[in-house]
Amino acid sequence: MNKTLLDEVIEHNRSFVDDHRYKQIIIDKKIHKKTVVISCMDARLIELLPGALNMKNSDYVSITTAGAMINDPYDSVMKSLIVALHKFEINEVFIVGHTDCGMNCLKTKDIIGELHPLDDEHSKWLDGFDDYQKNVLHSINIIENHELVPDHIAVHGLLIHSGTDELELIKNGYLF
Ligand SMILES: [Zn+2]
């Protein structure tokens, strides 16, 4: 019988634990740069973003979501952010969008609609965004106007350009 991915994961984990390889990547709980980065869930960003931002895993809390989009002041992204802000004494938040994002101009009716007819309410909830800069600014606006986000938090907006990894400054949160 062919091994499933789950079989491979469990098998790998046994040797990972037995050989104590986990000790090479243990980091402490402290967030050294007291920062939260909210970025897209795109797998290409997992290694690229720390390099582009010059931040290590231990420097920031990472929250990822489709398109770095925050839709609602009470969604799970905001919940994670607010818990992190208070638990880790965060001072700065970076919203980092990226070009060539799968959520840009995504109409979910096109990819889900044939299997699950979507009404307008579901489409509005699931759809992507039309404008990279406006999307980042929209997420910033929700954070800055949230009653549970302390006033001293600087919320910056960046867009990382696919291919060059160049960061475009959309909003300097120190000037708010
Ligand atoms: Zn994306």
Side-chain angles (χ1 to χ4, degrees):
M1 203 170 77
N2 288 338
K3 268 190 208 168
T4 64
L5 179 58
L6 177 62
D7 293 333
E8 288 175 16
V9 167
I10 299 292
E11 193 175 301
H12 161 83
N13 179 255
R14 285 197 187 111
S15 65
F16 184 75
V17 171
D18 290 347
D19 300 345
H20 301 283
R21 271 180 280 154
Y22 59 88
K23 287 184 177 171
Q24 295 164 8
I25 50 179
I26 284 178
I27 56 173
D28 62 47
K29 279 187 175 176
K30 233 174 133 185
I31 304 300
H32 296 275
K33 290 191 177 173
K34 295 188 178 297
T35 295
V36 171
V37 176
I38 299 177
S39 61
C40 182
M41 64 185 186
D42 191 313
R44 293 172 294 177
L45 298 179
I46 293 171
E47 290 190 32
L48 191 146
L49 207 53
L53 301 177
N54 189 30
M55 289 197 208
K56 297 190 292 290
N57 288 350
S58 54
D59 286 335
Y60 66 101
V61 174
S62 173
I63 301 173
T64 62
T65 178
M69 294 173 78
I70 301 175
N71 288 335
D72 184 289
Y74 300 97
D75 66 15
S76 61
V77 181
M78 281 305 297
K79 175 180 171 178
S80 302
L81 174 63
I82 288 164
V83 170
L85 291 180
H86 294 276
K87 185 169 171 55
F88 298 109
E89 299 173 340
I90 298 297
N91 294 322
E92 323 213 10
V93 177
F94 289 76
I95 307 290
V96 186
H98 70 112
T99 60
D100 193 29
C101 180
M103 290 301 280
N104 182 229
C105 298
L106 179 73
K107 299 293 178 218
T108 40
K109 271 184 180 167
D110 296 340
I111 59 168
I112 302 176
E114 278 189 27
L115 284 175
H116 302 281
L118 296 177
D119 58 29
D120 289 345
E121 197 181 342
H122 280 97
S123 289
K124 190 167 177 272
W125 173 54
L126 289 167
D127 279 355
F129 55 83
D130 296 329
D131 183 295
Y132 284 109
Q133 285 79 4
K134 279 184 190 162
N135 175 53
V136 169
L137 290 170
H138 178 72
S139 294
I140 291 173
N141 191 45
I142 288 180
I143 296 170
E144 287 181 339
N145 289 297
H146 202 289
E147 71 273 20
L148 297 177
V149 173
D151 289 341
H152 73 274
I153 305 286
V155 188
H156 313 293
L158 297 168
L159 183 68
I160 186 163
H161 285 259
S162 291
T164 64
D165 302 344
E166 187 181 352
L167 290 170
E168 174 187 336
L169 179 63
I170 295 175
K171 179 157 189 204
N172 178 340
Y174 301 129
L175 304 177
F176 177 61

